Amino acid sequence: MAAISTFSSHPNPNPNPNFISPMLQPYLEQQQERIQPEPPPDDGTPDEPVSNKDIGDTSATTDNNSNNNPTIANTSANANANANPNPGSIKLLHVSFNQDYGCFATGTDRGFRIYNCDPFREIFRRDFDGNGGGIGAVEMLFRCNILALVGGGDSPQYPLNKVMIWDDHQSRCIGELSFRSEVRGVRLRRDRIVVVLEQKIFVYNFADLKLLHQIETIANPKGLCAVSQIAGSFVLVCPGLQKGQVRVEHYASKRTKFIMAHDSRIACFTLSQDGNLLATASSKGTLVRIYNTHDGSLLQEVRRGADRAEIYSLAFSPTAQWLAVSSDKGTVHVFSLKVNSGNAGSERSTSPPGPNSPVAASSSSLSFIKGVLPKYFSSEWSVAQFRLPEGSQYIVAFGHQKNTVVILGLDGSFYRCKFDPATGGEMTQLEYHNFLKPEEAF
């Protein structure tokens, strides 16, 4: 799942670690843009290691996909959703999609906001009173009332070494996970919480916060980690212990696979929803490789460009027919994939593209000299492109409408674009908003 954040270092205050048991429920679509809850009292309990002491539960109802109620540590951190501040003075620290790309979350120097992608609209916001307020990471759990928050910015709302669990049904934090170093990323599934540190990853059971697994990684300042979202099949991908290596954990079959994906440092990767396909990019940013996560085989290689670039995000379409890539070059690329995600565990797709398809045209014009000249001349290039202003970081995902992509920028930009799979070329811009200034639309 794509996310971009800014990181900084600050001293850590001491919150409190008691337990209550929130329920998961479909929630976001029911919210107003402004809600002013009654803040809970501060009990001032000192910081201690998290324990399994259950001190109560909530009255929220569960949805059909949540059979277990997560039990998480209670904290005294509160928030007020106050009056709408001047949007021009807000600093954006983080933006990320939820698991099905239907919503996205932003962290600002004042709090966080949740938006719907189609149709575009702000669902709700939480702006914190007093000193601090900075949220450096927000992780949604589909559209339920539970979010994971990490402090950030010049005045963080929460310690940078803690994951705060926010229950928007109660409009307050009801839990925390504490660590000895700064949190670099958080990933949620309905049954798991995954916390990424600089050189370690922790996997927790959501129902009782039991620690299930610890993974050592190479230095991972970006907090790179990806998890599958299909129930009954948990696949986790993270950096390995060597430069250019990725580690794939198949928890259902209790297998670990190491893939030497690149010669250079891993810069970005993403999983297909079912966890069968893995797309990776290195710090060079010229090639993107698609691997079978079960046997580690290279299924396809596509070329973003010839010069170096920093890859910000990779995204599979829901059917894994397309792959989108964003980078610091200001262009979003869409590639056609030849692999079949459902058959990734056994064999590659046996239906190659036709001679008139854009993916064939993008690589066949020089294919007769393949093996004679460098691989560059026989590379597979993108089918469709969309040009963006350079100077900001962008993440991309496929929209719920057919052949559309959604692009989010750390400058507050929201784009919806459409590509033609038959003719390819430049995408058509369908929509633009500045989500920090909703009145600005094109």
Side-chain angles (χ1 to χ4, degrees):
M1 186 175 55
I4 43 178
S5 305
T6 58
F7 295 102
S8 57
S9 297
H10 299 279
N12 298 317
N14 293 324
N16 120 46
N18 297 319
F19 277 80
I20 60 177
S21 303
M23 302 281 195
L24 303 184
Q25 62 174 350
Y27 188 70
L28 300 183
E29 63 271 16
Q30 304 171 5
Q31 298 310 293
Q32 305 284 330
E33 287 192 3
R34 301 175 190 172
I35 301 175
Q36 294 183 324
E38 182 76 19
D42 186 345
D43 60 12
T45 307
D47 187 21
E48 294 291 344
V50 171
S51 67
N52 288 326
K53 180 182 179 183
D54 189 0
I55 63 168
D57 56 25
T58 75
S59 60
T61 58
T62 61
D63 66 12
N64 292 333
N65 294 315
S66 281
N67 297 321
N68 295 317
N69 303 332
T71 303
I72 22 201
N74 183 36
T75 107
S76 59
N78 308 325
N80 288 327
N82 48 23
N84 183 22
N86 175 16
S89 63
I90 290 177
K91 181 179 180 182
L92 192 59
L93 304 176
H94 167 95
V95 61
S96 62
F97 289 100
N98 74 337
Q99 288 82 356
D100 64 6
Y101 306 109
C103 295
F104 67 94
T106 65
T108 74
D109 58 352
R110 297 180 179 182
F112 66 91
R113 303 178 182 186
I114 306 296
Y115 299 82
N116 193 68
C117 288
D118 189 13
F120 171 81
R121 66 184 179 95
E122 182 179 310
I123 300 175
F124 70 91
R125 66 176 65 182
R126 296 288 178 264
D127 291 323
F128 295 94
D129 285 332
N131 296 328
I135 298 296
V138 186
E139 177 76 358
M140 300 177 66
L141 181 58
F142 292 94
R143 287 175 174 263
C144 82
N145 53 303
I146 300 297
L147 301 95
L149 306 176
V150 180
D154 295 332
S155 300
Q157 176 67 16
Y158 304 118
L160 304 189
N161 69 325
K162 295 180 184 289
V163 176
M164 313 303 293
I165 309 300
W166 175 276
D167 182 353
D168 209 74
H169 181 77
Q170 302 184 56
S171 298
R172 68 184 183 100
C173 279
I174 48 81
E176 71 179 41
L177 289 167
S178 180
F179 304 91
R180 295 177 180 174
S181 61
E182 293 183 10
V183 175
R184 295 302 188 186
V186 185
R187 302 292 182 266
L188 298 182
R189 282 171 49 101
R190 295 190 188 278
D191 57 351
R192 297 289 185 269
I193 300 176
V194 180
V195 181
V196 186
L197 307 184
E198 181 87 18
Q199 291 185 292
K200 186 172 286 189
I201 292 176
F202 296 89
V203 180
Y204 295 89
N205 187 42
F206 214 148
D208 56 9
L209 274 198
K210 179 181 179 182
L211 179 61
L212 302 177
H213 196 196
Q214 298 184 48
I215 302 172
E216 301 283 346
T217 71
I218 198 171
N220 185 17
K222 290 185 177 181
L224 298 178
C225 182
V227 297
S228 65
Q229 294 296 333
I230 300 297
S233 175
F234 179 22
V235 181
L236 180 148
V237 177
C238 63
L241 288 170
Q242 302 177 39
K243 181 178 69 174
Q245 183 187 69
V246 291
R247 173 174 178 158
V248 183
E249 291 288 339
H250 291 272
Y251 285 99
S253 57
K254 299 181 180 179
R255 291 186 300 111
T256 301
K257 186 69 182 179
F258 291 93
I259 301 173
M260 284 305 303
H262 299 272
D263 294 331
S264 304
R265 175 180 52 85
I266 298 294
C268 190
F269 53 70
T270 191
L271 270 174
S272 58
Q273 287 285 320
D274 58 13
N276 288 334
L277 299 178
L278 169 68
T280 67
S282 75
S283 56
K284 290 183 178 179
T286 53
L287 297 173
V288 178
R289 292 171 176 154
I290 295 89
Y291 291 92
N292 181 328
T293 62
H294 297 274
D295 61 16
S297 60
L298 176 63
L299 301 177
Q300 191 173 345
E301 181 180 272
V302 298
R303 180 173 290 275
R304 179 212 55 82
D307 52 344
R308 295 180 71 100
E310 182 179 357
I311 302 298
Y312 292 139
S313 74
L314 302 167
F316 286 102
S317 65
T319 59
Q321 181 183 2
W322 308 100
L323 179 74
V325 181
S326 66
S327 74
D328 65 349
K329 295 301 181 182
T331 301
V332 168
H333 295 268
V334 173
F335 297 89
S336 178
L337 300 184
K338 302 174 183 178
V339 297
N340 185 323
S341 179
N343 296 332
S346 55
E347 59 182 359
R348 303 186 189 187
S349 171
T350 57
S351 301
N356 296 323
S357 70
V359 64
S362 65
S363 60
S364 62
S365 59
L366 293 172
S367 60
F368 68 94
I369 56 175
K370 185 176 182 180
V372 179
L373 293 177
K375 289 175 64 177
Y376 172 86
F377 294 99
S378 59
S379 297
E380 295 182 34
W381 298 82
S382 59
V383 172
Q385 308 82 34
F386 184 75
R387 316 290 174 181
L388 293 159
E390 293 190 41
S392 184
Q393 299 181 46
Y394 300 93
I395 61 174
V396 63
F398 286 89
H400 288 186
Q401 300 178 35
K402 188 176 182 181
N403 301 329
T404 61
V405 296
V406 175
I407 304 164
L408 307 175
L410 268 181
D411 58 357
S413 57
F414 172 98
Y415 296 89
R416 190 195 316 281
C417 309
K418 187 177 182 66
F419 64 95
D420 188 328
T423 61
E426 291 292 327
M427 291 187 241
T428 302
Q429 180 177 308
L430 302 178
E431 196 174 356
Y432 169 81
H433 301 275
N434 184 322
F435 52 78
L436 295 181
K437 301 177 181 179
E439 70 278 5
E440 294 187 9
F442 173 74

